[in-house]
Amino acid sequence: FQMSQIYILAEVLAIPVVALTASSGYLFGLIPGTLIVLSCATIAATISFFIGRTFLRNWAQKMIASSPKWRAIDKSIAKEG
């Protein structure tokens, strides 16, 4: 359980987790280690998405508005998906 919390926190903070990923297979076995890593990575991605979508949204919009390059990228994505 502790390893899962550390893994999720490291993923959310964008800290490389290669060592944790590799050691989970050694510590828990191939299949359980893989399942732990996949579930933790999914939870971390969901948390990161939520943080970006809610708390960092205004910051990102201000950054896009203040930079011509970001505005061009945003316009292209809005136009063509």
Side-chain angles (χ1 to χ4, degrees), residues 22-35:
S23 65
S24 69
Y26 177 75
L27 293 172
F28 305 112
L30 180 63
I31 301 300
T34 301
L35 294 175

Side-chain angles (χ1 to χ4, degrees), residues 5 7 9-10 12 16 18 20 23 27 33 36 44 49 51-52 55 60 63-64 69 71 74 76 79-80:
Q5 291 175 331
Y7 193 98
L9 181 64
V12 169
V18 174
L20 290 173
S23 65
L27 293 172
I36 289 170
F49 178 81
I51 290 171
F55 301 115
M63 187 175 79
I64 289 170
K69 283 184 181 180
R71 279 196 308 265
D74 188 47
S76 296
K79 182 179 178 182
E80 297 184 24

